[in-house]
C-alpha cells in the first residue's frame, strides 16, 4: 500500500485568494509611520528661531567657500559617475577574464577529409 504524501502548500481556487492584502496593510502602516515622523519634524522645526544663529553661521561659511558649495551641488553627479566608472571597470575585468579563458581553450581540430571546401574541385586519381 502506498504511503500518504503530506502536501506542504495549498492551491487556491481562481478568485478566492486576496492578492496583496498583506502588502497593502504594510504599505499603509509604513506610510503612517513616515507621516507621523515627517509631521513631528515639521512641528519641531516650526518654531526654529533657536536654530537661526547656527544656520546663519553655516550660511556665511558656505558663502565664503564657493568651492564647497560647488562640490556639494555636483556631488550627486560625481557619485553617479563614480558608480559608472566602477561598472565599467567590472565589465573590463569580465571581458579580460573571458578572453583569457578562451585563449586557454584549445581550438577544435579541422576535419579535412569529410567534405571539400567551397570552390575546390576534388582531383581524380
Amino acid at each position: 500500500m502506498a504511503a500518504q504524501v503530506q502536501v506542504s502548500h495549498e492551491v487556491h481556487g481562481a478568485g478566492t485568494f486576496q492578492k496583496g492584502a498583506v502588502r497593502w496593510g504594510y504599505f499603509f502602516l509604513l506610510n503612517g509611520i513616515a507621516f507621523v515622523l515627517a509631521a513631528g519634524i515639521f512641528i519641531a522645526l516650526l518654531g526654529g528661531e533657536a536654530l537661526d544663529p547656527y544656520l546663519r553661521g553655516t550660511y556665511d561659511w558656505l558663502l565664503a567657500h564657493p568651492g564647497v558649495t560647488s562640490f556639494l551641488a555636483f556631488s550627486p553627479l560625481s557619485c553617479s559617475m563614480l558608480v559608472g566608472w566602477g561598472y565599467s571597470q567590472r565589465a573590463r575585468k569580465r571581458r579580460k577574464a573571458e578572453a583569457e579563458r578562451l585563449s586557454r581553450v584549445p581550438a577544435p581540430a579541422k576535419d579535412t577529409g569529410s567534405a571539400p571546401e567551397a570552390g575546390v574541385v576534388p582531383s581524380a586519381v
Side-chain angles (χ1 to χ4, degrees), residues 3-105:
Q4 186 74 17
V5 177
Q6 182 69 27
V7 178
S8 63
H9 62 279
E10 181 181 337
V11 177
H12 298 281
T16 61
F17 186 72
Q18 292 181 348
K19 287 191 216 174
V22 174
R23 286 183 280 167
W24 279 108
Y26 280 118
F27 174 77
F28 288 123
L29 174 70
L30 294 175
N31 274 294
I33 292 170
F35 177 76
V36 168
L37 289 173
I41 292 171
F42 179 77
I43 291 170
L45 293 178
L46 195 58
E49 288 82 21
L51 296 175
D52 282 351
Y54 305 107
L55 297 178
R56 172 51 74 182
T58 304
Y59 179 70
D60 291 339
W61 187 86
L62 286 173
L63 284 178
H65 299 88
V68 174
T69 56
S70 296
F71 174 76
L72 292 174
F74 282 106
S75 63
L77 175 64
S78 42
C79 287
S80 64
M81 290 175 68
L82 181 64
V83 168
W85 179 78
Y87 277 121
S88 71
Q89 293 301 311
R90 191 171 75 174
R92 285 186 185 120
K93 288 177 186 176
R94 187 172 44 238
R95 276 187 253 135
K96 183 179 176 185
E98 182 66 18
E100 288 176 3
R101 186 187 70 79
L102 289 176
S103 68
R104 287 192 302 257
V105 174

Side-chain angles (χ1 to χ4, degrees), residues 112-123:
T112 58
S114 62
E117 294 181 21
V120 176
V121 178
S123 60

